[in-house]
């Protein structure tokens, strides 16, 4: 700061202020009122604490010099001698307040409440002019702080979170938070500036707060400088100007109902989305983004909107549309119509061809191989092909600092309504054919399951009968072997068999004493022999 500033000092003997000078290169002393909001200004040595006062008692103003009783006697004396009333000036200043006073000789003073006699004042001077209004020294939490101005005397209160701006002969003076007082004929207080804004203009200085995810584009004497985000930056002269903030965040935009032509001249309506972001802000600001605010030759006199990225966004979307058109242009819609229709209902497309070597010109229907099936289904929605489209777009956008992340097709349909109707009919026919085929396959599978069930049941029954016969034969064999071993058992078995035979023959024959004739007797019975199958 040029020029000399005068601090007010009280001369208690005569009540006049003497001026003391202070230089401009005064080092800043740390204070409890300083906060991180002022770090950038402190680094550049722009905050001046020459005139900061620690309390109200440290302010320079006239102390009380009278008593209430003394002022009463002075007024009574003026009543007794009226001409003396023109010379008497009495005033009472409350605590925490000051009053402005002019000494009638071009000087300015503050009178306040301090000392043994507090705020009672009396002056015998016909040229003293004391204002009737008290100026309160308490800012009462006002955002604008406090400013009391009396000629070349200033008392200023800068709230926390603000910085005071004063001008001294065209040079800016920045005041930290607190109470300041100075006497100067050239230094004028301008305003308290809120540090809560991202762009703060303080005379020739500009304070920028750049959030993380953004970068600030500035112009320093015609040269563009990009300041990184997540920090506070100070532009230290008037020709270093802020131009715009540029976001580095991911942007998503719609390409709605764009018209593209396939390889066989079928007009398609496509709806797609484009994800992109700015990767090189310096290059983007130099080659694509609007940065300068200028009127030019426009008759309307409106400034261009350099605070947005609308021009850059339009360039990116145009390039994405061109790359998407190149992708769709590789598709022959008519060649893949039937295959795509079949794929919509989950079928593998059929290819009908003459089978070589077959008699009678029999035709063969075979399925498309899986590779062909995959190619058909991924004509417009294949990720790899869309990545090729993204690479095609990035070949251009990287030249001005933009990277396209993805291009996604939401929908694509022919513009011709008749073609859409044909597609719908083909899809319905394919669905009906698949439904009939599914029903036939289900019935055949059910019949096969029934036949297998019956065959399995018969097989199980036959195996059970065979196992039963084997079991009976083994039992008879074991019984015969046991009978051969015991004679008594043989005789008992013979008797048992004879009794059973007689019972079955229903005979009342009385046997004799010789049992050996029983055989001939039985053989002579026609009923018995007929049961044995010996006679007809």
């Amino acid at each position: 700061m040029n020029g000399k500033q005068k601090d007010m000092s009280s001369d208690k003997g005569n009540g006049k202020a003497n001026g003391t000078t202070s230089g401009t290169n005064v080092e800043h002393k740390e204070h409890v009122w300083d906060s991180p909001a002022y770090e950038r200004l402190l680094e550049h040595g722009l905050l001046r604490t020459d005139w900061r006062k620690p309390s109200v008692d440290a302010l320079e103003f006239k102390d009380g010099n009278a008593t209430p009783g003394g002022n009463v006697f002075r007024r009574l004396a003026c009543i007794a001698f009226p001409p003396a009333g023109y010379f008497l000036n009495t005033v009472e200043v409350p605590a925490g307040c000051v009053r402005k006073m002019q000494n009638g000789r071009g000087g300015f003073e503050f009178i306040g409440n301090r000392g043994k006699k507090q705020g009672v004042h009396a002056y015998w001077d016909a040229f003293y002019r004391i204002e009737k209004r008290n100026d309160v020294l308490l800012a009462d939490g006002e955002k604008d702080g406090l400013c009391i101005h009396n000629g070349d005397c200033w008392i200023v209160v800068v709230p926390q979170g603000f910085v005071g701006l004063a001008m001294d002969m065209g040079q800016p003076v920045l005041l930290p938070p607190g109470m300041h007082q100075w006497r100067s004929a050239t230094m004028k207080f301008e305003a308290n500036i809120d540090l809560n804004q991202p762009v703060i203009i303080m005379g020739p200085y500009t304070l920028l707060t750049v959030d993380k995810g953004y970068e600030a584009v500035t112009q320093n004497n015609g040269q563009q400088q990009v300041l990184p985000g997540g920090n506070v930056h100070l532009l230290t002269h008037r020709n270093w100007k802020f131009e715009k903030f540029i976001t580095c965040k991911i942007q998503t935009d719609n390409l709605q109902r764009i018209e593209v032509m396939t390889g066989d001249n079928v007009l398609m309506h496509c709806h797609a989305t484009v994800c992109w972001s700015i990767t090189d802000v310096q290059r983007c600001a130099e080659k694509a983004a609007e940065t300068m605010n200028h009127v030019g030759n426009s008759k309307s006199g409106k400034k261009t909107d350099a605070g947005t990225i609308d021009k850059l966004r339009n360039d990116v979307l145009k390039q994405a549309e061109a790359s998407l058109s190149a992708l769709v242009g590789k598709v022959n819609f008519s060649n893949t119509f039937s295959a795509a229709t079949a794929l919509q209902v989950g079928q593998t497309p059929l290819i009908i061809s003459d089978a070589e070597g077959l008699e009678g010109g029999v035709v063969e229907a075979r399925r498309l191989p899986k590779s062909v099936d995959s190619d058909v289904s991924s004509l417009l929605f294949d990720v790899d092909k869309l990545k090729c489209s993204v690479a095609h777009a990035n070949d251009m956008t990287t030249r001005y600092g933009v990277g396209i992340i993805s291009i996604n097709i939401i929908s694509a349909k022919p513009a011709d309504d008749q073609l859409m109707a044909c597609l719908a009919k083909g899809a319905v026919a394919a669905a009906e054919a698949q439904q009939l085929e599914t029903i036939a396959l289900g019935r055949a599978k059910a019949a096969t399951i029934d036949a297998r069930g019956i065959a399995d049941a018969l097989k199980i029954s036959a195996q059970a009968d065979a196992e039963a016969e084997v079991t009976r034969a083994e039992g008879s064999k074991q019984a015969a072997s046991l009978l051969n071993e015991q004679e008594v058992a043989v005789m008992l078995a013979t008797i048992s068999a004879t009794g059973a035979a007689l019972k079955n023959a229903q005979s009342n024959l009385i046997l004799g004493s010789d049992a050996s004739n029983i055989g001939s007797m039985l053989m002579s019975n026609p009923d018995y022999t007929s049961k044995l199958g010996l006679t007809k």
Side-chain angles (χ1 to χ4, degrees), residues 336-534:
T336 59
F337 166 69
S338 60
T341 302
L343 286 171
Q344 290 179 0
V345 295
Q347 288 183 335
T348 303
L350 293 174
I351 295 180
I352 307 300
S353 62
D354 293 337
E356 296 181 359
L358 295 179
E359 297 180 357
V362 179
V363 295
E364 177 189 5
R366 59 186 178 87
R367 297 288 182 182
L368 281 173
K370 291 185 178 180
S371 60
V372 178
D373 183 4
S374 176
D375 290 340
V376 172
S377 63
S378 60
L379 290 173
L380 296 177
F381 300 94
D382 183 74
V383 176
D384 293 333
K385 292 185 178 180
L386 289 174
K387 286 182 179 179
C388 294
S389 180
V390 171
H392 179 271
N394 281 330
D395 287 341
M396 175 57 67
T397 58
T398 52
R399 299 182 184 182
Y400 49 84
V402 174
I404 294 180
I405 302 171
S406 66
I407 300 176
N408 301 310
I409 298 178
I410 304 301
S411 63
K413 62 180 181 179
D416 190 355
D417 294 336
Q418 294 182 356
L419 183 57
M420 284 295 297
C422 293
L423 280 174
K425 291 179 181 179
V428 171
E432 291 177 351
Q434 186 185 18
Q435 183 179 8
L436 294 175
E437 181 181 357
T438 303
I439 293 173
L441 290 175
R443 290 177 178 175
K445 191 172 183 179
T448 301
I449 293 173
D450 290 340
R452 288 179 181 175
I454 294 173
D456 291 342
L458 292 175
K459 183 178 180 181
I460 293 171
S461 178
Q463 289 178 352
D465 292 341
E467 291 177 356
E469 292 296 333
V470 171
T471 302
R472 293 191 191 97
E474 290 180 353
S476 299
K477 181 179 178 181
Q478 291 178 0
S481 63
L482 291 174
L483 291 174
N484 291 330
E485 293 176 358
Q486 298 292 334
E487 183 178 356
V488 176
V490 172
M491 293 178 65
L492 291 175
T494 302
I495 294 171
S496 177
T498 302
L502 291 175
K503 182 179 180 181
N504 293 332
Q506 298 180 355
S507 175
N508 295 325
L509 178 64
I510 298 175
L511 299 176
S513 59
D514 189 3
S516 61
N517 296 325
I518 189 64
S520 59
M521 293 174 63
L522 292 174
M523 295 302 295
S524 64
N525 188 354
D527 294 333
Y528 180 74
T529 56
S530 62
K531 289 181 179 181
L532 295 177
L534 299 177

